[in-house]
Amino acid sequence: MKLATLIKDANGNSLGRDGQLVIVSRDLTRAQPVPEIAPTLQAALDNWQHMEPELQRRFTEFEQDPTAGETFDPKRCGAPLPRAYHWADGSAYLNHVALVRKARGAEMPPSFEQDPLIYQGGSDIMLGPTAPIIGDPRWGIDFEAEVVVITTDLDQGSTPDQCESAIALLTLVNDVSLRNLIPNELAKGFGFYQSKPASAFAPVVLTPDELAPHWQSAKLNLPLRVWLNDQPFGYPDAGVDMNFNFAQLLAHCCKTRALGAGTLLGSGTVSNKQQGLWGSSIVNGGVGYCCLAELRMYEAIEQGQPSTPFLGDGDRVRIEMTDQNGMSLFGTIEQQVVAIEAS
């Protein structure tokens, strides 16, 4: 089943802060509201045990009638949950963790191999797939392409098996980082804030059954594709080199607290182990990267200093995942940088 949240009607008028839940055809061409089942995605997740079968039934009927619904326009979409109760982001790919920490002169503690790294971010404003990235280029604007799961309710102390069963939906996110602000913030010993602005999400969410056989052991085993200014930048496999799966990440989150329905958890930047700058970029036969920081780290190691700049005014980032037949699964995140000069 595929779902989305529209925040504008066909005339460009607002559909409210939480938008309107719609079912979306598998080929992402049609959509249909289902207010008699649930007006918003959060409303559906609040009672997922009963809502999910009803939505699945309606989705099956919708797929069988190619004349049903209206044209699906991703530009009318907000984030699946335009304001969410809980947004947490992991860093499940230790290759990425090691590289970005090395870039700022920090070693990776051995404990990171057993204890997942997770931060809690702002969730009051979540961006849609075409929202601009607004920021001062001096901040070191970087994209981070990730996979995201959305859960139903989870009790404190939930096991990994219980956490996997609570994964209701999956999608993609661009978890923007402001790299030049991160070191000073972390040096204060209190975590990210200014350096982690609002994240942008793919327009469509999928139930795990839609991803079979690629959804296995709480990992999504497909390449995540990134383009920078229309040039291929990365397609690492999201199931490879993921040191902690989503069930393990969620169990870590649940150790000291319960999680409410509608919790979003990101995988962290998808990253595959590669053989340095000359073997990792796409032009050299590698799988590339899902952020600029990794490329810059390889440049620093092999050339003495980074040569690729962070994002500037007008730069465009596109993030997408396709199935084995080349069909887009979640739709695309397509963002452009709008530069400002901060005081």
Side-chain angles (χ1 to χ4, degrees):
M1 175 171 61
K2 298 190 176 188
L3 305 170
T5 294
L6 300 183
I7 58 171
K8 295 180 181 179
D9 66 19
N11 297 316
N13 300 312
S14 172
L15 292 171
R17 296 184 68 169
D18 298 310
Q20 179 185 61
L21 177 65
V22 296
I23 53 176
V24 181
S25 60
R26 282 197 176 93
D27 62 4
L28 307 185
T29 62
R30 297 177 294 119
Q32 186 175 71
V34 285
E36 69 281 6
I37 300 177
T40 66
L41 181 57
Q42 183 62 54
L45 289 163
D46 285 340
N47 193 17
W48 190 247
Q49 182 178 359
H50 299 288
M51 296 289 192
E52 193 266 346
E54 284 296 302
L55 288 168
Q56 286 279 13
R57 179 183 59 81
R58 183 61 61 84
F59 176 74
T60 299
E61 294 173 351
F62 184 59
E63 276 292 293
Q64 292 172 347
D65 182 1
T67 66
E70 59 184 19
T71 300
F72 177 61
D73 182 0
K75 294 180 181 178
R76 293 172 53 194
C77 290
L81 294 169
R83 49 180 178 173
Y85 290 120
H86 193 145
W87 160 234
D89 195 27
S91 202
Y93 301 85
L94 294 186
N95 181 63
H96 171 77
V97 179
L99 285 170
V100 296
R101 286 180 68 87
K102 190 170 184 177
R104 59 175 185 262
E107 293 299 319
M108 189 171 76
S111 63
F112 279 22
E113 296 185 6
Q114 291 81 39
D115 195 28
L117 187 65
I118 296 176
Y119 82 92
Q120 185 172 347
S123 60
D124 51 334
I125 296 176
M126 307 296 247
L127 302 179
T130 60
I133 301 171
I134 301 173
D136 190 325
R138 293 174 297 179
W139 294 340
I141 304 169
D142 197 1
F143 54 88
E144 293 194 63
E146 308 181 13
V147 178
V148 177
V149 296
I150 305 176
T151 75
T152 57
D153 290 301
L154 277 165
D155 294 330
Q156 181 178 338
S158 293
T159 66
D161 286 345
Q162 291 169 328
C163 290
E164 184 172 359
S165 297
I167 295 173
L169 299 161
L170 292 94
T171 190
L172 308 177
V173 67
N174 180 15
D175 181 49
V176 173
S177 287
L178 305 177
R179 300 291 185 190
N180 294 339
L181 301 186
I182 288 176
N184 286 342
E185 281 206 304
L186 294 187
K188 297 176 182 179
F190 217 50
F192 300 120
Y193 196 87
Q194 290 183 335
S195 54
K196 299 299 291 189
S199 299
F201 291 78
V204 178
V205 293
L206 277 64
T207 48
D209 61 285
E210 287 289 320
L211 295 162
H214 307 291
W215 174 249
Q216 293 183 349
S217 301
K219 296 181 181 181
L220 183 50
N221 299 281
L222 283 170
L224 182 54
R225 301 183 180 277
V226 179
W227 292 261
L228 176 59
N229 295 325
D230 300 322
Q231 297 301 311
F233 189 82
Y235 56 92
D237 193 305
V240 174
D241 298 322
M242 188 180 191
N243 297 78
F244 303 99
N245 66 26
F246 280 109
Q248 293 168 321
L249 293 174
L250 287 167
H252 179 85
C253 293
C254 290
K255 180 176 180 178
T256 61
R257 65 173 84 178
L259 300 181
T263 292
L264 299 104
L265 175 65
S267 63
T269 306
V270 174
S271 179
N272 292 169
K273 294 178 182 177
Q274 304 189 78
Q275 298 301 314
L277 176 64
W278 306 120
S280 60
S281 65
I282 291 176
V283 295
N284 291 327
V287 297
Y289 327 93
C290 283
C291 69
L292 287 164
E294 288 192 17
L295 170 59
R296 287 170 55 87
M297 189 62 243
Y298 282 129
E299 289 173 341
I301 292 170
E302 298 191 10
Q303 299 177 342
Q305 63 182 7
S307 57
T308 299
F310 288 119
L311 298 177
D313 190 43
D315 281 337
R316 302 180 308 282
V317 178
R318 179 180 175 184
I319 300 167
E320 186 177 29
M321 182 176 281
T322 60
D323 64 14
Q324 63 273 26
N325 299 315
M327 178 180 292
S328 182
L329 292 168
F330 305 97
T332 59
I333 299 171
E334 298 187 71
Q335 295 185 274
Q336 186 166 0
V337 175
V338 175
I340 60 171
E341 186 174 340
S343 57

